[in-house]
Amino acid sequence: AITDADWPHAKQIITTIAGQYGFTVPTMQIDRPGDHVTTAVDPTLGAQYNFGTQIYTSFQVTTGCHRPS
């Protein structure tokens, strides 16, 4: 897990990298001791990511189906 002290830095890294791929400013934030989650969306593609940590740390990206043009 990411410690409470390290969470702001980890969240900033994810937010910065995801922003380069079209994800917006994080839309959901949970910041409690030992429980952290940040979520953002890419409105163009309809994608979303969830990044969080409690006992374990996870990063999940979901997107819709995109047919080639």
Short mmCIF file of all heavy atoms in Angstrom, two decimals:
data_model
loop_
_atom_site.label_atom_id
_atom_site.label_comp_id
_atom_site.label_asym_id
_atom_site.label_seq_id
_atom_site.Cartn_x
_atom_site.Cartn_y
_atom_site.Cartn_z
N ALA A 1 0.84 -1.19 0.00
CA ALA A 1 0.00 0.00 0.00
C ALA A 1 0.88 1.25 0.00
O ALA A 1 2.03 1.21 0.42
CB ALA A 1 -0.91 0.01 1.21
N ILE A 2 0.32 2.31 -0.47
CA ILE A 2 1.00 3.61 -0.45
C ILE A 2 0.68 4.26 0.89
O ILE A 2 -0.48 4.31 1.30
CB ILE A 2 0.52 4.49 -1.62
CG1 ILE A 2 0.86 3.82 -2.95
CG2 ILE A 2 1.11 5.88 -1.52
CD1 ILE A 2 0.23 4.47 -4.15
N THR A 3 1.68 4.76 1.55
CA THR A 3 1.46 5.37 2.86
C THR A 3 0.69 6.68 2.72
O THR A 3 0.68 7.31 1.66
CB THR A 3 2.79 5.67 3.57
OG1 THR A 3 3.50 6.67 2.82
CG2 THR A 3 3.65 4.42 3.72
N ASP A 4 0.06 7.11 3.81
CA ASP A 4 -0.66 8.38 3.81
C ASP A 4 0.26 9.53 3.43
O ASP A 4 -0.13 10.43 2.68
CB ASP A 4 -1.29 8.65 5.18
CG ASP A 4 -2.41 7.69 5.52
OD1 ASP A 4 -3.00 7.08 4.60
OD2 ASP A 4 -2.70 7.54 6.72
N ALA A 5 1.49 9.48 3.91
CA ALA A 5 2.45 10.55 3.61
C ALA A 5 2.84 10.59 2.14
O ALA A 5 3.09 11.66 1.57
CB ALA A 5 3.70 10.39 4.47
N ASP A 6 2.88 9.41 1.48
CA ASP A 6 3.28 9.33 0.07
C ASP A 6 2.12 9.49 -0.91
O ASP A 6 2.34 9.67 -2.11
CB ASP A 6 3.99 8.01 -0.22
CG ASP A 6 5.35 7.93 0.44
OD1 ASP A 6 5.96 8.99 0.69
OD2 ASP A 6 5.80 6.80 0.71
N TRP A 7 0.87 9.41 -0.42
CA TRP A 7 -0.29 9.46 -1.31
C TRP A 7 -0.34 10.72 -2.17
O TRP A 7 -0.57 10.62 -3.38
CB TRP A 7 -1.59 9.29 -0.53
CG TRP A 7 -2.79 9.48 -1.39
CD1 TRP A 7 -3.67 10.52 -1.38
CD2 TRP A 7 -3.23 8.62 -2.45
NE1 TRP A 7 -4.63 10.37 -2.35
CE2 TRP A 7 -4.38 9.21 -3.02
CE3 TRP A 7 -2.77 7.42 -2.98
CZ2 TRP A 7 -5.07 8.63 -4.08
CZ3 TRP A 7 -3.46 6.85 -4.04
CH2 TRP A 7 -4.58 7.44 -4.57
N PRO A 8 -0.15 11.93 -1.63
CA PRO A 8 -0.24 13.11 -2.51
C PRO A 8 0.74 13.06 -3.69
O PRO A 8 0.38 13.43 -4.81
CB PRO A 8 0.09 14.27 -1.57
CG PRO A 8 -0.29 13.78 -0.22
CD PRO A 8 0.06 12.31 -0.24
N HIS A 9 1.93 12.57 -3.46
CA HIS A 9 2.92 12.48 -4.55
C HIS A 9 2.51 11.42 -5.57
O HIS A 9 2.58 11.65 -6.78
CB HIS A 9 4.30 12.17 -3.97
CG HIS A 9 5.38 12.20 -4.99
ND1 HIS A 9 6.25 11.15 -5.18
CD2 HIS A 9 5.74 13.13 -5.90
CE1 HIS A 9 7.08 11.44 -6.15
NE2 HIS A 9 6.79 12.64 -6.62
N ALA A 10 2.06 10.26 -5.10
CA ALA A 10 1.62 9.20 -6.01
C ALA A 10 0.42 9.67 -6.84
O ALA A 10 0.37 9.45 -8.06
CB ALA A 10 1.25 7.95 -5.22
N LYS A 11 -0.52 10.34 -6.20
CA LYS A 11 -1.70 10.84 -6.91
C LYS A 11 -1.30 11.88 -7.96
O LYS A 11 -1.82 11.87 -9.07
CB LYS A 11 -2.69 11.46 -5.91
CG LYS A 11 -3.95 11.99 -6.56
CD LYS A 11 -4.99 12.42 -5.54
CE LYS A 11 -4.57 13.68 -4.83
NZ LYS A 11 -5.65 14.23 -3.99
N GLN A 12 -0.35 12.73 -7.64
CA GLN A 12 0.12 13.74 -8.60
C GLN A 12 0.78 13.10 -9.82
O GLN A 12 0.58 13.54 -10.95
CB GLN A 12 1.09 14.72 -7.93
CG GLN A 12 1.55 15.83 -8.84
CD GLN A 12 0.39 16.66 -9.38
OE1 GLN A 12 -0.47 17.07 -8.62
NE2 GLN A 12 0.36 16.91 -10.67
N ILE A 13 1.55 12.06 -9.59
CA ILE A 13 2.19 11.35 -10.71
C ILE A 13 1.12 10.78 -11.65
O ILE A 13 1.19 10.98 -12.87
CB ILE A 13 3.12 10.24 -10.19
CG1 ILE A 13 4.34 10.85 -9.50
CG2 ILE A 13 3.54 9.30 -11.33
CD1 ILE A 13 5.17 9.85 -8.73
N ILE A 14 0.14 10.08 -11.10
CA ILE A 14 -0.92 9.48 -11.92
C ILE A 14 -1.71 10.56 -12.65
O ILE A 14 -2.01 10.45 -13.84
CB ILE A 14 -1.85 8.61 -11.05
CG1 ILE A 14 -1.11 7.39 -10.52
CG2 ILE A 14 -3.11 8.21 -11.82
CD1 ILE A 14 -0.64 6.42 -11.58
N THR A 15 -2.08 11.63 -11.94
CA THR A 15 -2.85 12.72 -12.54
C THR A 15 -2.10 13.36 -13.70
O THR A 15 -2.68 13.65 -14.75
CB THR A 15 -3.20 13.77 -11.47
OG1 THR A 15 -3.96 13.15 -10.44
CG2 THR A 15 -4.02 14.90 -12.05
N THR A 16 -0.82 13.58 -13.54
CA THR A 16 0.00 14.20 -14.58
C THR A 16 0.10 13.31 -15.81
O THR A 16 -0.12 13.76 -16.94
CB THR A 16 1.40 14.53 -14.04
OG1 THR A 16 1.27 15.44 -12.95
CG2 THR A 16 2.28 15.14 -15.12
N ILE A 17 0.42 12.05 -15.60
CA ILE A 17 0.56 11.13 -16.74
C ILE A 17 -0.78 10.93 -17.44
O ILE A 17 -0.87 11.00 -18.67
CB ILE A 17 1.16 9.79 -16.29
CG1 ILE A 17 2.61 9.99 -15.84
CG2 ILE A 17 1.07 8.74 -17.41
CD1 ILE A 17 3.22 8.80 -15.15
N ALA A 18 -1.84 10.70 -16.68
CA ALA A 18 -3.17 10.49 -17.28
C ALA A 18 -3.63 11.74 -18.02
O ALA A 18 -4.29 11.64 -19.07
CB ALA A 18 -4.17 10.10 -16.20
N GLY A 19 -3.30 12.91 -17.53
CA GLY A 19 -3.66 14.16 -18.20
C GLY A 19 -3.06 14.26 -19.59
O GLY A 19 -3.65 14.85 -20.50
N GLN A 20 -1.90 13.66 -19.80
CA GLN A 20 -1.26 13.67 -21.11
C GLN A 20 -2.02 12.81 -22.11
O GLN A 20 -1.80 12.90 -23.31
CB GLN A 20 0.18 13.18 -20.98
CG GLN A 20 1.05 14.10 -20.16
CD GLN A 20 2.42 13.50 -19.86
OE1 GLN A 20 2.78 12.41 -20.30
NE2 GLN A 20 3.21 14.23 -19.07
N TYR A 21 -2.93 11.97 -21.60
CA TYR A 21 -3.72 11.09 -22.45
C TYR A 21 -5.20 11.49 -22.48
O TYR A 21 -6.05 10.69 -22.86
CB TYR A 21 -3.57 9.63 -21.99
CG TYR A 21 -2.17 9.13 -22.25
CD1 TYR A 21 -1.19 9.24 -21.28
CD2 TYR A 21 -1.83 8.58 -23.48
CE1 TYR A 21 0.11 8.80 -21.51
CE2 TYR A 21 -0.54 8.14 -23.73
CZ TYR A 21 0.42 8.25 -22.74
OH TYR A 21 1.70 7.82 -22.99
N GLY A 22 -5.50 12.71 -22.07
CA GLY A 22 -6.84 13.24 -22.21
C GLY A 22 -7.74 13.11 -21.00
O GLY A 22 -8.91 13.50 -21.05
N PHE A 23 -7.24 12.56 -19.91
CA PHE A 23 -8.07 12.45 -18.71
C PHE A 23 -8.16 13.80 -18.02
O PHE A 23 -7.19 14.55 -17.93
CB PHE A 23 -7.50 11.40 -17.75
CG PHE A 23 -7.73 10.00 -18.23
CD1 PHE A 23 -6.80 9.39 -19.05
CD2 PHE A 23 -8.87 9.30 -17.88
CE1 PHE A 23 -7.00 8.09 -19.51
CE2 PHE A 23 -9.09 8.01 -18.33
CZ PHE A 23 -8.14 7.40 -19.15
N THR A 24 -9.35 14.10 -17.53
CA THR A 24 -9.63 15.39 -16.90
C THR A 24 -9.05 15.45 -15.50
O THR A 24 -8.50 14.47 -14.99
CB THR A 24 -11.15 15.60 -16.79
OG1 THR A 24 -11.69 14.56 -15.97
CG2 THR A 24 -11.81 15.60 -18.15
N VAL A 25 -9.24 16.58 -14.89
CA VAL A 25 -8.90 16.74 -13.48
C VAL A 25 -9.69 15.69 -12.70
O VAL A 25 -10.85 15.41 -13.02
CB VAL A 25 -9.27 18.17 -13.01
CG1 VAL A 25 -9.07 18.32 -11.52
CG2 VAL A 25 -8.48 19.19 -13.78
N PRO A 26 -9.11 15.07 -11.70
CA PRO A 26 -9.82 14.04 -10.94
C PRO A 26 -11.22 14.48 -10.51
O PRO A 26 -11.42 15.61 -10.07
CB PRO A 26 -8.90 13.79 -9.74
CG PRO A 26 -7.55 14.10 -10.27
CD PRO A 26 -7.75 15.27 -11.21
N THR A 27 -12.17 13.56 -10.66
CA THR A 27 -13.57 13.87 -10.37
C THR A 27 -14.03 13.37 -9.02
O THR A 27 -14.95 13.92 -8.44
CB THR A 27 -14.47 13.26 -11.45
OG1 THR A 27 -14.21 11.86 -11.52
CG2 THR A 27 -14.22 13.89 -12.80
N MET A 28 -13.43 12.31 -8.52
CA MET A 28 -13.80 11.79 -7.21
C MET A 28 -12.55 11.66 -6.37
O MET A 28 -11.52 11.20 -6.85
CB MET A 28 -14.46 10.42 -7.32
CG MET A 28 -14.90 9.88 -5.96
SD MET A 28 -15.58 8.21 -6.01
CE MET A 28 -14.11 7.23 -6.13
N GLN A 29 -12.65 12.08 -5.14
CA GLN A 29 -11.52 12.00 -4.23
C GLN A 29 -11.97 11.41 -2.91
O GLN A 29 -12.98 11.84 -2.35
CB GLN A 29 -10.95 13.40 -3.95
CG GLN A 29 -10.50 14.15 -5.17
CD GLN A 29 -9.29 13.52 -5.81
OE1 GLN A 29 -8.29 13.25 -5.17
NE2 GLN A 29 -9.39 13.23 -7.09
N ILE A 30 -11.25 10.42 -2.43
CA ILE A 30 -11.42 9.92 -1.07
C ILE A 30 -10.05 10.04 -0.44
O ILE A 30 -9.08 9.48 -0.95
CB ILE A 30 -11.91 8.46 -1.04
CG1 ILE A 30 -13.30 8.35 -1.66
CG2 ILE A 30 -11.91 7.94 0.41
CD1 ILE A 30 -13.80 6.94 -1.80
N ASP A 31 -9.96 10.78 0.61
CA ASP A 31 -8.70 10.96 1.32
C ASP A 31 -8.94 10.82 2.82
O ASP A 31 -9.20 11.79 3.52
CB ASP A 31 -8.07 12.33 1.00
CG ASP A 31 -7.38 12.34 -0.34
OD1 ASP A 31 -6.66 11.37 -0.64
OD2 ASP A 31 -7.55 13.31 -1.09
N ARG A 32 -8.89 9.57 3.27
CA ARG A 32 -8.99 9.27 4.69
C ARG A 32 -7.73 8.50 5.08
O ARG A 32 -7.12 7.86 4.23
CB ARG A 32 -10.22 8.40 4.96
CG ARG A 32 -11.53 9.08 4.66
CD ARG A 32 -12.71 8.20 5.06
NE ARG A 32 -12.82 7.04 4.22
CZ ARG A 32 -13.84 6.80 3.39
NH1 ARG A 32 -14.84 7.66 3.29
NH2 ARG A 32 -13.87 5.71 2.66
N PRO A 33 -7.36 8.55 6.32
CA PRO A 33 -6.18 7.78 6.74
C PRO A 33 -6.31 6.31 6.34
O PRO A 33 -7.30 5.65 6.65
CB PRO A 33 -6.17 7.94 8.27
CG PRO A 33 -6.86 9.25 8.50
CD PRO A 33 -7.94 9.31 7.43
N GLY A 34 -5.35 5.84 5.56
CA GLY A 34 -5.33 4.45 5.12
C GLY A 34 -6.31 4.11 4.01
O GLY A 34 -6.43 2.95 3.63
N ASP A 35 -7.00 5.09 3.46
CA ASP A 35 -8.02 4.86 2.42
C ASP A 35 -8.01 6.03 1.46
O ASP A 35 -8.49 7.11 1.79
CB ASP A 35 -9.40 4.70 3.07
CG ASP A 35 -10.50 4.43 2.07
OD1 ASP A 35 -10.21 4.09 0.90
OD2 ASP A 35 -11.68 4.56 2.46
N HIS A 36 -7.47 5.81 0.27
CA HIS A 36 -7.35 6.89 -0.71
C HIS A 36 -7.80 6.39 -2.09
O HIS A 36 -7.45 5.29 -2.50
CB HIS A 36 -5.90 7.36 -0.82
CG HIS A 36 -5.32 7.77 0.49
ND1 HIS A 36 -5.59 8.98 1.06
CD2 HIS A 36 -4.50 7.12 1.34
CE1 HIS A 36 -4.96 9.07 2.21
NE2 HIS A 36 -4.28 7.95 2.41
N VAL A 37 -8.57 7.21 -2.79
CA VAL A 37 -9.03 6.90 -4.14
C VAL A 37 -9.10 8.19 -4.94
O VAL A 37 -9.53 9.22 -4.42
CB VAL A 37 -10.43 6.24 -4.15
CG1 VAL A 37 -10.90 6.00 -5.58
CG2 VAL A 37 -10.43 4.94 -3.37
N THR A 38 -8.67 8.14 -6.19
CA THR A 38 -8.87 9.24 -7.12
C THR A 38 -9.38 8.65 -8.43
O THR A 38 -8.96 7.58 -8.84
CB THR A 38 -7.58 10.07 -7.32
OG1 THR A 38 -7.88 11.21 -8.11
CG2 THR A 38 -6.48 9.28 -7.97
N THR A 39 -10.31 9.35 -9.06
CA THR A 39 -10.94 8.90 -10.30
C THR A 39 -10.98 10.06 -11.28
O THR A 39 -11.20 11.20 -10.87
CB THR A 39 -12.38 8.43 -10.02
OG1 THR A 39 -12.34 7.36 -9.10
CG2 THR A 39 -13.07 7.97 -11.28
N ALA A 40 -10.79 9.79 -12.55
CA ALA A 40 -10.92 10.82 -13.59
C ALA A 40 -11.46 10.18 -14.86
O ALA A 40 -11.42 8.96 -15.02
CB ALA A 40 -9.59 11.50 -13.86
N VAL A 41 -11.97 11.02 -15.76
CA VAL A 41 -12.54 10.54 -17.01
C VAL A 41 -11.88 11.21 -18.21
O VAL A 41 -11.32 12.30 -18.10
CB VAL A 41 -14.07 10.79 -17.09
CG1 VAL A 41 -14.78 10.03 -16.00
CG2 VAL A 41 -14.38 12.26 -17.00
N ASP A 42 -11.95 10.52 -19.33
CA ASP A 42 -11.59 11.09 -20.63
C ASP A 42 -12.91 11.28 -21.35
O ASP A 42 -13.50 10.31 -21.83
CB ASP A 42 -10.68 10.14 -21.39
CG ASP A 42 -10.36 10.62 -22.80
OD1 ASP A 42 -11.12 11.47 -23.34
OD2 ASP A 42 -9.37 10.15 -23.37
N PRO A 43 -13.42 12.51 -21.41
CA PRO A 43 -14.74 12.73 -21.98
C PRO A 43 -14.82 12.42 -23.48
O PRO A 43 -15.89 12.09 -23.98
CB PRO A 43 -15.02 14.21 -21.70
CG PRO A 43 -13.70 14.83 -21.48
CD PRO A 43 -12.81 13.75 -20.95
N THR A 44 -13.72 12.46 -24.18
CA THR A 44 -13.71 12.17 -25.62
C THR A 44 -13.94 10.69 -25.89
O THR A 44 -14.72 10.32 -26.76
CB THR A 44 -12.39 12.63 -26.26
OG1 THR A 44 -12.21 14.02 -25.99
CG2 THR A 44 -12.38 12.39 -27.75
N LEU A 45 -13.25 9.85 -25.16
CA LEU A 45 -13.34 8.40 -25.39
C LEU A 45 -14.30 7.70 -24.43
O LEU A 45 -14.56 6.52 -24.59
CB LEU A 45 -11.96 7.76 -25.26
CG LEU A 45 -10.91 8.20 -26.28
CD1 LEU A 45 -9.57 7.55 -25.98
CD2 LEU A 45 -11.38 7.88 -27.69
N GLY A 46 -14.75 8.41 -23.41
CA GLY A 46 -15.61 7.77 -22.43
C GLY A 46 -14.86 6.82 -21.51
O GLY A 46 -15.43 5.92 -20.93
N ALA A 47 -13.57 7.03 -21.39
CA ALA A 47 -12.74 6.19 -20.53
C ALA A 47 -12.72 6.74 -19.11
O ALA A 47 -12.99 7.93 -18.89
CB ALA A 47 -11.32 6.12 -21.09
N GLN A 48 -12.37 5.90 -18.17
CA GLN A 48 -12.28 6.30 -16.77
C GLN A 48 -11.15 5.54 -16.11
O GLN A 48 -10.88 4.39 -16.45
CB GLN A 48 -13.59 5.98 -16.06
CG GLN A 48 -13.56 6.23 -14.57
CD GLN A 48 -14.89 5.92 -13.92
OE1 GLN A 48 -15.94 6.24 -14.45
NE2 GLN A 48 -14.85 5.29 -12.76
N TYR A 49 -10.47 6.19 -15.16
CA TYR A 49 -9.52 5.44 -14.34
C TYR A 49 -9.84 5.61 -12.88
O TYR A 49 -10.42 6.61 -12.45
CB TYR A 49 -8.05 5.83 -14.63
CG TYR A 49 -7.58 7.13 -14.04
CD1 TYR A 49 -7.26 7.24 -12.68
CD2 TYR A 49 -7.39 8.25 -14.82
CE1 TYR A 49 -6.80 8.43 -12.13
CE2 TYR A 49 -6.94 9.44 -14.29
CZ TYR A 49 -6.64 9.52 -12.95
OH TYR A 49 -6.18 10.70 -12.42
N ASN A 50 -9.50 4.58 -12.12
CA ASN A 50 -9.61 4.57 -10.67
C ASN A 50 -8.25 4.17 -10.12
O ASN A 50 -7.71 3.14 -10.51
CB ASN A 50 -10.66 3.56 -10.19
CG ASN A 50 -12.03 3.89 -10.68
OD1 ASN A 50 -12.57 4.93 -10.35
ND2 ASN A 50 -12.60 3.02 -11.50
N PHE A 51 -7.73 4.98 -9.24
CA PHE A 51 -6.44 4.71 -8.61
C PHE A 51 -6.66 4.80 -7.11
O PHE A 51 -7.17 5.82 -6.63
CB PHE A 51 -5.41 5.73 -9.09
CG PHE A 51 -4.06 5.64 -8.40
CD1 PHE A 51 -3.35 4.46 -8.40
CD2 PHE A 51 -3.51 6.75 -7.78
CE1 PHE A 51 -2.11 4.38 -7.78
CE2 PHE A 51 -2.28 6.69 -7.18
CZ PHE A 51 -1.57 5.50 -7.17
N GLY A 52 -6.31 3.74 -6.40
CA GLY A 52 -6.57 3.77 -4.98
C GLY A 52 -5.64 2.88 -4.19
O GLY A 52 -4.95 2.02 -4.74
N THR A 53 -5.66 3.10 -2.89
CA THR A 53 -4.83 2.31 -2.00
C THR A 53 -5.51 2.17 -0.65
O THR A 53 -6.10 3.11 -0.15
CB THR A 53 -3.42 2.91 -1.85
OG1 THR A 53 -2.58 2.00 -1.14
CG2 THR A 53 -3.42 4.25 -1.17
N GLN A 54 -5.49 0.96 -0.15
CA GLN A 54 -5.88 0.64 1.23
C GLN A 54 -4.85 -0.39 1.68
O GLN A 54 -3.72 -0.03 1.93
CB GLN A 54 -7.30 0.09 1.30
CG GLN A 54 -8.37 1.12 1.08
CD GLN A 54 -9.77 0.53 1.22
OE1 GLN A 54 -10.00 -0.66 0.98
NE2 GLN A 54 -10.71 1.35 1.61
N ILE A 55 -5.27 -1.65 1.73
CA ILE A 55 -4.31 -2.72 2.04
C ILE A 55 -3.41 -2.95 0.83
O ILE A 55 -2.22 -3.16 0.95
CB ILE A 55 -5.05 -4.01 2.44
CG1 ILE A 55 -5.82 -3.78 3.74
CG2 ILE A 55 -4.08 -5.18 2.59
CD1 ILE A 55 -6.76 -4.89 4.13
N TYR A 56 -4.01 -2.89 -0.36
CA TYR A 56 -3.30 -3.02 -1.63
C TYR A 56 -3.51 -1.76 -2.44
O TYR A 56 -4.41 -0.97 -2.18
CB TYR A 56 -3.81 -4.23 -2.43
CG TYR A 56 -3.67 -5.53 -1.67
CD1 TYR A 56 -4.76 -6.14 -1.09
CD2 TYR A 56 -2.42 -6.13 -1.54
CE1 TYR A 56 -4.63 -7.32 -0.38
CE2 TYR A 56 -2.28 -7.31 -0.83
CZ TYR A 56 -3.38 -7.90 -0.26
OH TYR A 56 -3.24 -9.08 0.44
N THR A 57 -2.70 -1.59 -3.47
CA THR A 57 -2.84 -0.46 -4.38
C THR A 57 -3.30 -0.99 -5.73
O THR A 57 -2.79 -2.00 -6.20
CB THR A 57 -1.49 0.27 -4.53
OG1 THR A 57 -1.10 0.74 -3.24
CG2 THR A 57 -1.60 1.45 -5.48
N SER A 58 -4.27 -0.29 -6.33
CA SER A 58 -4.76 -0.73 -7.63
C SER A 58 -4.92 0.46 -8.57
O SER A 58 -5.14 1.59 -8.13
CB SER A 58 -6.10 -1.46 -7.49
OG SER A 58 -7.10 -0.57 -7.04
N PHE A 59 -4.80 0.17 -9.85
CA PHE A 59 -5.01 1.15 -10.91
C PHE A 59 -5.83 0.46 -11.98
O PHE A 59 -5.40 -0.56 -12.53
CB PHE A 59 -3.67 1.64 -11.48
CG PHE A 59 -3.82 2.68 -12.54
CD1 PHE A 59 -4.20 3.97 -12.21
CD2 PHE A 59 -3.60 2.39 -13.87
CE1 PHE A 59 -4.34 4.94 -13.18
CE2 PHE A 59 -3.74 3.35 -14.85
CZ PHE A 59 -4.10 4.63 -14.49
N GLN A 60 -7.02 0.98 -12.26
CA GLN A 60 -7.91 0.35 -13.23
C GLN A 60 -8.32 1.38 -14.26
O GLN A 60 -8.69 2.51 -13.92
CB GLN A 60 -9.16 -0.17 -12.51
CG GLN A 60 -10.18 -0.77 -13.44
CD GLN A 60 -11.44 -1.19 -12.70
OE1 GLN A 60 -11.71 -0.73 -11.60
NE2 GLN A 60 -12.20 -2.06 -13.31
N VAL A 61 -8.27 1.00 -15.53
CA VAL A 61 -8.72 1.86 -16.63
C VAL A 61 -9.79 1.11 -17.38
O VAL A 61 -9.61 -0.06 -17.72
CB VAL A 61 -7.56 2.22 -17.59
CG1 VAL A 61 -8.07 3.07 -18.75
CG2 VAL A 61 -6.45 2.93 -16.84
N THR A 62 -10.92 1.77 -17.63
CA THR A 62 -11.99 1.17 -18.42
C THR A 62 -12.32 2.11 -19.57
O THR A 62 -12.20 3.32 -19.45
CB THR A 62 -13.26 0.91 -17.60
OG1 THR A 62 -13.68 2.13 -17.00
CG2 THR A 62 -13.01 -0.11 -16.52
N THR A 63 -12.72 1.52 -20.68
CA THR A 63 -13.09 2.31 -21.84
C THR A 63 -14.15 1.56 -22.64
O THR A 63 -14.29 0.34 -22.48
CB THR A 63 -11.86 2.62 -22.71
OG1 THR A 63 -12.27 3.51 -23.78
CG2 THR A 63 -11.24 1.38 -23.30
N GLY A 64 -14.85 2.27 -23.45
CA GLY A 64 -15.86 1.65 -24.30
C GLY A 64 -15.22 0.99 -25.50
O GLY A 64 -14.01 1.01 -25.69
N CYS A 65 -16.05 0.42 -26.33
CA CYS A 65 -15.60 -0.24 -27.56
C CYS A 65 -15.43 0.84 -28.64
O CYS A 65 -16.33 1.67 -28.84
CB CYS A 65 -16.63 -1.27 -27.98
SG CYS A 65 -16.20 -2.12 -29.50
N HIS A 66 -14.32 0.83 -29.34
CA HIS A 66 -14.06 1.83 -30.38
C HIS A 66 -13.74 1.11 -31.68
O HIS A 66 -12.72 0.43 -31.79
CB HIS A 66 -12.89 2.73 -29.97
CG HIS A 66 -13.14 3.43 -28.68
ND1 HIS A 66 -13.95 4.53 -28.58
CD2 HIS A 66 -12.71 3.18 -27.43
CE1 HIS A 66 -14.01 4.93 -27.34
NE2 HIS A 66 -13.26 4.11 -26.61
N ARG A 67 -14.62 1.27 -32.64
CA ARG A 67 -14.39 0.66 -33.96
C ARG A 67 -13.47 1.56 -34.77
O ARG A 67 -13.57 2.78 -34.71
CB ARG A 67 -15.71 0.47 -34.69
CG ARG A 67 -16.62 -0.47 -33.94
CD ARG A 67 -17.91 -0.78 -34.62
NE ARG A 67 -18.31 0.16 -35.66
CZ ARG A 67 -19.25 -0.11 -36.56
NH1 ARG A 67 -19.84 -1.28 -36.54
NH2 ARG A 67 -19.59 0.79 -37.44
N PRO A 68 -12.57 0.97 -35.55
CA PRO A 68 -11.70 1.79 -36.40
C PRO A 68 -12.51 2.53 -37.45
O PRO A 68 -13.54 2.04 -37.91
CB PRO A 68 -10.75 0.78 -37.04
CG PRO A 68 -11.27 -0.57 -36.73
CD PRO A 68 -12.32 -0.44 -35.67
N SER A 69 -12.04 3.70 -37.83
CA SER A 69 -12.73 4.51 -38.84
C SER A 69 -12.47 3.98 -40.23
O SER A 69 -11.47 3.46 -40.54
CB SER A 69 -12.25 5.94 -38.81
OG SER A 69 -12.22 6.44 -37.53
#
